[in-house]
Amino acid sequence: MSTSSTAGKVIKCKAAVLWELKKPFSIEEVEVAPPKANEVRLKMVAAGVCRTDDHVVSGQMTSPFPVIVGHEAAGIVESIGEGVTTVKPGDKVIPLFLPQCGKCAVCKHPEANFCVKNDLSVPRGIMEDGTTRFTCRGKPVHHFLGTSSFSEYSVVDEISVVKIDPASPLEKACLIGCGFSTGYGSAVNVAKVTKGSTCAVFGLGGVGLCVIMGCKAAGAARIIAVDLNKDKFAKAKEVGATECINPQDFKKPIHEVLKEMTDGGVDFSFEVIGRHDTMVAALSCCHEAYGVSVIIGVPPGSQDLGMNPMLLLTGRTWKGAFFGGYKGKDSIPKLVADFMAKKFPLESVITHVLPFEKINEGFDLLRSGKSIRTILTF
Ligand code: CND
Ligand code: ZN
Ligand code: ZN
């Protein structure tokens, strides 16, 4: 199916394997099997460090181990399996952590993007045929969200990869694989932020900053950024926040503070942290009669959230979405084109660029609050 010299053969390469919970990544030699029918093998070029990957390390998000995580990336097709028609060897591509099969009821729905072929609801970490394409030290290693981008080579389903402009700089465009699209889309597609509105964004990491970019692009008049780490405020202002506040600077709960600042509540609020208390605070700070609150942060697994239903009875809307509500195959090429046309300052969230082998350093920077986005290069 391909002209590359590695096509059809097992590739031995480096990958960052997580053998157990709460342990560092281990750079190992892994074997990556050739793609089977309807699968694509990629050579990774750049991968971002997103908090969701760290949620697997910490156990906040469950996944079978051992596993190769990473879900925000860009690469080049090395070879394709039988029946693959939408990409070919040499194409620049972005893997999709949320697939678009194009056939299920969700894919056919005009608004929805949570394709039934996703590996998010119940992560299984295997390909369609029930096996994995990675082995290490004789053991199968699980995939993560159908992407596993912390590996020099990875195998993905054709429904989990999309071709992008051959001129795109992959070390930046990789952000369109998660952080950028998730944040920006949550503002423009999910909340549908309106011109002149007031927004509050809880959490100013890579995803939260892209929510701010989306609010600004939609014409919001006030964008109030909320974070415990005031080192994040300068960047938030740079990308469009009009005010920045730290909940620790107030005696009152932060939702009360926000309601006072905005005459009864914001029009749109976003939780981009992944905590129950801030999800309820974000809901509470939006206007009781017409506020819309969007959950983006991934919460601790299998825990219920106590909240007063009166918060919704008065008229608030509570929503959530993965990947900013975008259907990956349809939307990513357009987002890349908009990025190439300089429609948004995507790269301003990149604070560090490290060689892939320094992945543990990249995660330490995230955990200590010193980085926004670290890009690992291969
Ligand atoms: P990152 O950790 O970079 O940002 C989180 C920010 O929240 C940091 O700046 C923290 O200082 C701040 N913070 C932490 N606790 C509090 C608090 N109590 N009050 C105020 N601020 C606080 O994370 P990220 O931007 O990479 O990701 C953010 C969340 O989004 C995270 O939960 C991740 O798993 C999730 C996410 C969701 C999706 C999706 O499709 N919905 C995709 N990727 C990531
Ligand atoms: Zn589908
Ligand atoms: Zn992510």
Side-chain angles (χ1 to χ4, degrees), residues 75-202:
I76 294 172
V77 175
E78 174 271 335
S79 63
I80 55 177
E82 218 183 289
V84 171
T85 58
T86 58
V87 297
K88 59 178 189 311
D91 282 350
K92 285 190 179 174
V93 292
I94 288 183
L96 311 177
F97 74 84
L98 201 52
Q100 186 183 344
C101 79
K103 293 180 184 150
C104 73
V106 180
C107 285
K108 286 186 177 151
H109 190 285
E111 301 271 317
N113 74 338
F114 199 64
C115 173
V116 300
K117 297 279 187 182
N118 77 79
D119 201 31
L120 272 153
S121 306
V122 185
R124 301 185 322 143
I126 46 179
M127 302 301 282
E128 195 95 321
D129 68 353
T131 63
T132 81
R133 301 290 164 271
F134 297 113
T135 51
C136 180
R137 303 176 192 225
K139 293 194 191 81
V141 177
H142 290 89
H143 297 253
F144 176 63
L145 305 184
T147 51
S148 293
S149 47
F150 296 150
S151 176
E152 289 177 325
Y153 287 85
S154 184
V155 175
V156 303
D157 281 311
E158 186 180 13
I159 60 169
S160 298
V161 65
V162 65
K163 183 182 170 177
I164 59 167
D165 184 343
S168 1
L170 299 185
E171 68 291 351
K172 292 176 184 165
C174 62
L175 287 166
I176 294 173
C178 178
F180 175 74
S181 313
T182 298
Y184 196 85
S186 295
V188 302
N189 293 329
V190 185
K192 298 190 183 0
V193 168
T194 50
K195 211 170 169 22
S197 62
T198 295
C199 302
V201 180
F202 288 66

Side-chain angles (χ1 to χ4, degrees), residues 17 59 89 98 109 120 129 132 134 164 224 246 315 359 361 367 373 376:
V17 178
L98 201 52
H109 190 285
L120 272 153
D129 68 353
T132 81
F134 297 113
I164 59 167
I224 309 171
N246 181 345
I359 183 168
E361 206 175 297
R367 293 170 191 140
R373 267 304 194 257
L376 304 172

